[in-house]
Each structure stands twice: as C-alpha cells, then as structure tokens.
Amino acid sequence: MSAHVMRGGRSAPSLRRTRFVLGTIAAGVAFAPAGAAKPTLTFEWTPVVNNGDVMPGSTKTFNSYNQPSVNAAGLVVFRARGKGPGEPPHGIYVRDMRRDGGITKIFDRTSVVPDPNPLGRTFIEFPSFPRIDRDSAVLATRGNHQPVATSSDGEAVGTTGIYANPRTTPVTGAAQLAAVPGLSFFAVPGAAPGTRFDVFPGAPAVSDGNVIVFKGNYTEDAIGKTGVYFRELRVGGPGNTLPIQLLANTATPIPGAPGLTFGSTAPPSAAEGQAVFTGLDNEAAPTAGGIYLVPLEPSPELTTLVRIGSRVPDRTGRATASSFNRLGEGLSFDGRFVGFWGAWGSAVRTVTLHCPTEGNAQRRAYCLVECPEPAGCTRDVPTGQGMFVHDTWTGITRMAAETGDRYRDFLFWNFSGKVPGTADEDDGEPARWRFAAFAAVDSSTSGTFQLAFKAATTQGSAIDLAAGPGKSLQQPQPIVDTTLDGGELDVAAAGLPITEVGLERDGFRNGWLVVNARMGTEEAGWAGIYVAHIAANASR
C-alpha cells in the first residue's frame, strides 16, 4: 500500500547476511508457554534489495519499496522506485533467494503493455503491491497506462488492467476492453452483455500456475457495482481468449442472510484451486456478511468461514461472549489456513491522522483539505480487536493476538484513491482515508501454522509471530520492531534506528518470511526488503 513505502538514501553493499538473535522466540512452532524459559531462535536476515542496488536497465539505485510477496521456493516479487532527478524508475522486480540470484525486472515504465495493445502503449504506474503464486513463479500485478485500443464506436479505451507472466510470457489477464471488437471475453460476467470493468481495486492474487483472482468494479444502469472474479490464462495455441468467471458480486445472496446481497467485496486471496474473500452487506457498518471460501470454478457455491455476528474465539478456539462486528479485507490464505483481522464490542478510541508528506502531490493536497495541519483529523477505531487464524479443514478459528498490554492497535491508515478531476486512478475509487491490517500465514505438513502480523505496540510498530495450534495458540513473540537498530536487518544500516516495518498477506511461505523496512530518516537513511528462512516450518 502506498502509505507504507519505505525510503532512505545512503550507499553500501547490499547482499550481506545479518544474524539476528532473539531470546524471546522459539524455533518453528514450538513456542514456550507464558512464564516458561524461552529458547532462542537465530534469524539470518538477508537483503533482497536495498538502497545500494542499481535498478535493472538503469544507472539509478533503488530508493523506496512496498511490501513484498514470496513463493514456497523463496522467489521474492516486489514493487520499488528509484531516485531522481527527473522521473524516477518504477517497476515490478523479482529475486530468487534460494539460489542467491540477482534482481530481475518483470515490468517497469519502459515496458510495453502486453497484447492486446494495438496502440503500443507502455506502462505509467503499478498502483498496488504484486503477488505471486504459492507454488510457481507466476506473479500478478495491476498496471496503469494510456489507452491501448479503440472501441467499436471509436473511443480510446483500456487505461488499467491486471498483468501476469505464465510460462514467463507477459499476458493481459483482465482489462477495460470489452467494447473492442474481438475482445468480449474481457466483459464483466453476471452483468449486461458487453459491460466493461471500470477498475480493479487492490492487489490481484494468482494460483495454480495460470489463474488470476481479483476484485473488479463496474457500472450498470448508472449504479456502481462490484464483484470477485477469476480467469484462467493460457499461452500459445489459439490465444488467450478464455472468459472471466464470476465468483460473487453485488447480486449474490449473502449466505444465511435472507433477502440480503453483498454491498461490498474485498480483493481475494487464492491457493490450491480455492479463493477466500470478505463480503459484507455494508462496508461502513456491516450487519451481515463475513469471510467466504469458494472453489475456482464456474457457478461456485460459497462456504461461510467466519461471519458478522459469530462469536469471537479465544486461543483454544472456544467461543467467548463477544461477537464479531467487523472483519478485515486483507486475508492471507495458503490453501488451508486463513489469517485475518476482526473486531468486537462498541468501545472505541480516537486516533489522529496526518496527511502524507510524500507521494502524489495532488492527492496530498486533496487530503489537506479534509485534514489541515497541524491538527490533522480523527477517526474512531475499535478497542476490542485482534488477529485470528481459521482452519478450513477443521472449521476451528483461534485468536492469535488481541489488544491489551502489548498491542494498542492492528490497524494502519493511509489516504489513497482517485482525486476528483484528475487522470490518476490509483485504485479507481474516491480518495479517502482507508485502514488495513497486515498478516501472513504459513502452515506445515503436520497441520501446524505460524502467523506473522503487524501491530502498533506501546513502543512503536512491530512484526510478531504466533504459532499453533497445539492445545492452544501460544503467545506471540517479536520478530522485528522499531525499537531495534537497523544493523539487526542490514549491516549497511548499522547505527540507524528502524523507523518503519511492513508485511503483506503473501509474505510468509514455506518458512520464507519477507519484510520491508526503513531505517533512519528520509534524508539520511536506508531502506530495503529482507528475508529470513524459518526452516523448522516445513510447508505443506
């Protein structure tokens, strides 16, 4: 997410491992219960990329990074920018950490948009973090650009889409091109014939080597609508002409809520031929809906995993007296376990939000109209909130962490979206303050799991690790936080404090854990993406 870009600027060698010893963390999933002697786990952090690396195809070095994703083989995909002067390089890159490979460009602003692109456009922007298939090297990303084609009535169309690389071949997975002759397979399924997508909010997921799964917004009868979709991508043969398939949209009945349909859907996560997504009747004040599992097949049946109104579980999976009244959108899914955020109760606390000081100038100016400095603006957040893991095989949900002595909050805010009267789309939805929670789940062949999650603590920001299930889900333990010296992650940042850490939903797989971090200040700092391999958690 754009609010969590890490920046900094001081040069030094990049590929050096840092050994980070924590006396409060146990190896793999064998966490010590409260009060017991705590064994030691040694993390060996390796830079995937940092400010000392030259960007492929450029003489400039990297300078800012969004949250990375990783597959089960240690292939890391990330979105990053370089330094000026002038328009900085910006693109999607990968690095194979198992083989210690170099950084490879997948797309950047010089890349030609994959066909269909008869107008020969190149990319302008990649507005969300990229994601990668758990079990292959195929990645998916959104991309913005000038119109790539002309519709049947002569209109220039196609300014955004979803792009992937099955068999290492760049392809267009979804686009605004339903009105172009011969491209009706890009139409919105479940809508009037020929309806085109307006935008694809959030980050698209990818599964099974050639399937993209995504959220799409569209307009029908002057009414904005939304849904969750998938599409199988093929390379070669007669061409990639398979249609987009519907999983759920605003006409889909909410399971167990007679007479209600989804008023909002969230970007899905996918693995092993299945997807999970959050769907609600009302995004701002939900009374029905929940988290759903759905097979990647035509006309699928939804399975409710967690619903608004269901009881909040404790660490053992037993129901408490509280009920969920909010559920997060950013779900982490590995084919069995789902990591998610949830809240309960009516108690709130007030947080003060300040507009970003970097990034899109028009969006920053628009934000300041709503939140003039120095006061900023305020929002209420639930006091009762936590991170959870649901087991789709057993149906058991367990609490991993909750607000209390260590954790103040699991929500992080950013101001994003389309500024009225501008061409910049970002996610295509109106510019506003949005919140998100960040977690990544990883499971083992024995049915255990680990959940890495980001939290606001009494001392700053942290990424912590919970493990289970055992008889209960054990107390979370710290991985990295803003109380540490930057040298704990990167020898090039020794002496600089860690000031920001980031994690996304595909950031923990087969023991590979990837984070991004900033050390020091914008003017005199350092930043990068770092990986540690927790080998004890052998993957499913």
Side-chain angles (χ1 to χ4, degrees):
M1 296 208 168
S2 57
H4 303 290
V5 172
M6 313 298 183
R7 300 178 185 269
R10 151 179 157 181
S11 61
S14 70
L15 188 58
R16 296 180 65 181
R17 293 177 172 81
T18 300
R19 192 168 292 273
F20 179 23
V21 179
L22 282 178
T24 57
I25 209 164
V29 296
F31 278 63
K38 298 180 175 66
T40 298
L41 172 67
T42 300
F43 284 106
E44 189 175 82
W45 290 102
T46 302
V48 177
V49 57
N50 65 18
N51 292 5
D53 287 307
V54 176
M55 305 181 76
S58 173
T59 59
K60 297 181 179 180
T61 55
F62 287 98
N63 187 52
S64 66
Y65 317 84
N66 289 87
Q67 296 95 318
S69 301
V70 65
N71 73 2
L75 183 65
V76 180
V77 56
F78 59 94
R79 172 188 180 227
R81 296 176 183 265
K83 296 180 181 180
E87 189 70 20
H90 171 204
I92 307 297
Y93 306 88
V94 299
R95 188 168 196 174
D96 187 340
M97 300 309 296
R98 185 176 60 178
R99 296 180 175 85
D100 207 18
I103 299 168
T104 301
K105 179 189 77 175
I106 302 300
F107 300 113
D108 69 6
R109 286 174 168 167
T110 68
S111 301
V112 176
V113 177
D115 288 335
N117 178 16
L119 299 181
R121 303 299 192 186
T122 55
F123 286 107
I124 295 174
E125 180 70 83
F126 303 93
S128 64
F129 73 98
R131 302 177 71 177
I132 191 168
D133 183 13
R134 182 187 183 279
D135 298 311
S136 78
V138 179
L139 62 88
T141 183
R142 285 170 54 209
N144 292 347
H145 39 74
Q146 293 296 320
V148 295
T150 304
S151 69
S152 55
D153 60 5
E155 179 187 5
V157 295
T159 59
T160 189
I162 296 173
Y163 303 94
N165 64 337
R167 299 186 188 176
T168 70
T169 301
V171 300
T172 298
Q176 307 162 313
L177 299 175
V180 177
L183 301 183
S184 61
F185 53 86
F186 284 123
V188 180
T195 300
R196 74 173 184 90
F197 285 100
D198 296 329
V199 73
F200 308 97
V206 60
S207 179
D208 302 290
N210 67 336
V211 179
I212 57 168
V213 192
F214 58 94
K215 175 180 176 177
N217 290 354
Y218 61 100
T219 303
E220 190 175 33
D221 299 326
I223 299 173
K225 300 183 178 183
T226 187
V228 180
Y229 307 87
F230 76 94
R231 183 168 181 244
E232 182 181 348
L233 307 180
R234 291 184 179 175
V235 177
N240 187 26
T241 60
L242 292 176
I244 295 169
Q245 301 284 344
L246 171 67
L247 293 175
N249 65 9
T250 45
T252 302
I254 296 177
L260 294 179
T261 59
F262 290 116
S264 71
T265 59
S269 291
E272 298 185 3
Q274 304 175 98
V276 293
F277 71 95
T278 299
L280 304 169
D281 63 333
N282 184 313
E283 181 181 11
T287 63
I291 297 171
Y292 301 92
L293 176 72
V294 58
L296 299 177
E297 59 187 36
S299 304
E301 181 178 349
L302 305 185
T303 299
T304 304
L305 303 181
V306 183
R307 63 177 178 83
I308 295 292
S310 62
R311 294 293 183 88
V312 176
D314 63 15
R315 294 180 184 279
T316 69
R318 293 192 181 95
T320 68
S322 300
S323 298
F324 284 114
N325 54 26
R326 300 296 294 266
L327 293 168
E329 294 188 349
L331 309 179
S332 179
F333 179 52
D334 73 342
R336 175 175 177 177
F337 292 99
V338 183
F340 68 95
W341 172 89
W344 59 91
S346 58
V348 298
R349 69 181 185 89
T350 301
V351 297
T352 301
L353 307 176
H354 295 278
C355 295
T357 57
E358 56 188 53
N360 184 283
Q362 293 173 314
R363 193 174 301 114
R364 286 188 283 120
Y366 187 71
C367 178
L368 287 168
V369 174
E370 179 181 349
C371 298
E373 295 295 349
C377 57
T378 60
R379 295 289 188 274
D380 290 335
V381 299
T383 300
Q385 53 172 287
M387 305 302 298
F388 300 84
V389 177
H390 178 85
D391 187 343
T392 64
W393 291 12
T394 66
I396 297 173
T397 305
R398 291 178 173 85
M399 178 185 286
E402 65 179 313
T403 45
D405 291 340
R406 172 169 169 78
Y407 303 116
R408 299 180 67 244
D409 206 338
F410 300 103
L411 299 179
F412 295 84
W413 293 79
N414 73 325
F415 190 84
S416 61
K418 178 178 170 60
V419 176
T422 67
D424 179 65
E425 287 196 325
D426 192 20
D427 64 4
E429 297 182 334
R432 60 182 173 87
W433 284 104
R434 294 172 168 86
F435 64 79
F438 300 93
V441 70
D442 185 31
S443 65
S444 70
T445 54
S446 62
T448 59
F449 63 82
Q450 296 184 100
L451 182 77
F453 60 91
K454 184 174 177 179
T457 71
T458 55
Q459 296 178 298
S461 294
I463 295 174
D464 282 9
L465 186 66
K471 293 183 178 179
S472 66
L473 199 153
Q474 302 297 327
Q475 290 286 344
Q477 307 293 332
I479 300 175
V480 61
D481 60 43
T482 54
T483 68
L484 299 173
D485 183 86
E488 303 286 7
L489 288 177
D490 192 332
V491 293
L496 295 171
I498 297 175
T499 52
E500 193 170 350
V501 291
L503 172 77
E504 258 299 349
R505 66 203 78 172
D506 294 345
F508 193 16
R509 285 167 163 169
N510 196 24
W512 296 95
L513 176 65
V514 288
V515 302
N516 56 329
R518 181 173 69 191
M519 285 71 82
T521 65
E522 172 84 16
E523 294 76 19
W526 191 254
I529 292 173
Y530 303 93
V531 63
H533 191 241
I534 306 174
N537 191 25
S539 178
R540 294 172 46 247

